[in-house]
């Protein structure tokens, strides 16, 4: 209905049971004693004559569970600037936004105790990237903004439990360009143009 515009929305739901998890003796003990029935986890340790734990193992075990819910949105709009300003050769412009929303991320190593990390610095609730791409003949210029939201290190953090319960979000800017001479092309760019340090660790 709009030439050059594309809208994509993907809903993601994952419920993985019996996932392979790294188990310590503490995990085996918790799984065994928190269960209402005897499980295979109870065979991972033995008792001595005094009733105390004599031996225990650490290994991988099919008991983990992961629940994830969220969406990925992508909006892309490409058009010729000549259509806006008539009578010139101004080139083309492409606008793109990619937004990831994590509404739930719940994990359990033992299958009985659950930890939520959605909305934390490990898995922020909203992460977005915005691109502006300009092209005119052999010239290509791209601007990118990576946006991190405010987040907590742990969902249960408060000012009473930690000095800094809320970590500020930020925006990092990058710029790159390319010129195609035909037989060869020259590319250059600056990642994180304003030298903005990320508020918290990210893959980028």
């Amino acid at each position: 209905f709009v030439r050059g515009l594309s809208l994509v929305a993907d809903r993601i739901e994952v419920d993985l049971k019996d996932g392979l998890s790294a188990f310590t003796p503490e995990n085996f003990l918790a799984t065994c004693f928190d269960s209402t029935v005897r499980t295979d986890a109870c065979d991972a340790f033995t008792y001595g004559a005094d009733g105390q734990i004599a031996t225990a193992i650490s290994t991988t075990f099919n008991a983990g569970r992961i629940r994830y819910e969220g969406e990925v949105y992508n909006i892309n709009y490409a058009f010729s600037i000549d259509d806006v300003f008539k009578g010139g050769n101004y080139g083309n412009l492409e606008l793109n936004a990619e937004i990831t929303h994590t509404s739930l991320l719940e994990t359990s190593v033992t299958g009985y105790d659950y930890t939520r990390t959605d909305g934390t610095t490990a898995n922020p609730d909203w992460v977005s990237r915005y691109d502006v791409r300009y092209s005119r003949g052999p010239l290509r210029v791209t601007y990118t903004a990576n946006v991190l939201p405010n987040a907590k290190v742990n969902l249960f953090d408060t000012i009473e439990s930690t000095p800094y319960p809320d970590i500020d979000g930020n925006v990092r800017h990058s710029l790159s360009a390319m010129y195609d001479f035909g037989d060869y092309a020259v590319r250059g760019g600056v990642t994180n143009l304003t030298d903005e340090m990320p508020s918290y660790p990210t893959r980028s």
Side-chain angles (χ1 to χ4, degrees):
F1 55 90
V2 177
R3 181 181 176 186
L5 175 67
S6 65
L7 305 172
V8 179
D10 293 317
R11 172 67 177 175
I12 304 167
E13 295 184 6
V14 176
D15 189 355
L16 174 65
K17 298 178 181 179
D18 293 332
L20 196 61
S21 301
F23 256 48
T24 65
E26 291 81 4
N27 296 139
F28 280 114
L29 286 165
T31 304
C32 176
F33 290 109
D34 288 346
S35 176
T36 56
V37 297
R38 180 177 175 81
T39 67
D40 292 339
C42 298
D43 298 327
F45 49 88
T46 61
Y47 294 99
D50 58 358
Q52 301 297 314
I53 299 295
T55 64
I57 62 173
S58 293
T59 184
T60 52
F61 194 70
N62 286 94
R65 184 171 183 177
I66 299 175
R67 291 179 59 212
Y68 176 88
E69 295 179 6
E71 304 87 37
V72 176
Y73 304 96
N74 188 281
I75 305 170
N76 189 276
Y77 183 42
F79 61 95
S80 172
I81 302 177
D82 301 341
D83 295 338
V84 180
F85 303 99
K86 305 294 184 181
N89 182 19
Y90 300 110
N92 301 301
L93 198 63
E94 182 180 1
L95 309 176
N96 183 264
E98 183 172 291
I99 304 166
T100 301
H101 176 221
T102 299
S103 57
L104 174 68
L105 181 54
E106 191 175 55
T107 58
S108 173
V109 175
T110 63
Y112 295 94
D113 56 330
Y114 291 89
T115 302
R116 286 190 62 171
T117 55
D118 53 275
T120 68
T121 53
N123 298 284
D125 50 1
W126 292 94
V127 175
S128 53
R129 168 179 168 158
Y130 304 91
D131 295 300
V132 178
R133 305 182 186 102
Y134 171 77
S135 63
R136 182 177 182 271
L139 176 65
R140 304 282 189 275
V141 179
T142 300
Y143 161 78
T144 298
N146 290 283
V147 180
L148 290 174
N150 296 342
K152 293 178 177 292
V153 176
N154 301 290
L155 285 178
F156 50 79
D157 284 347
T158 65
I159 192 64
E160 288 79 17
S161 64
T162 178
Y164 304 100
D166 298 297
I167 307 300
D168 290 336
N170 66 5
V171 181
R172 284 169 296 144
H173 311 270
S174 298
L175 189 66
S176 63
M178 182 193 79
Y179 196 92
D180 189 351
F181 290 93
D183 292 335
Y184 61 92
V186 176
R187 295 182 176 88
V190 179
T191 300
N192 196 5
L193 186 64
T194 58
D195 199 26
E196 177 79 17
M197 292 300 292
S199 300
Y200 42 86
T202 68
R203 291 183 178 178
S204 59

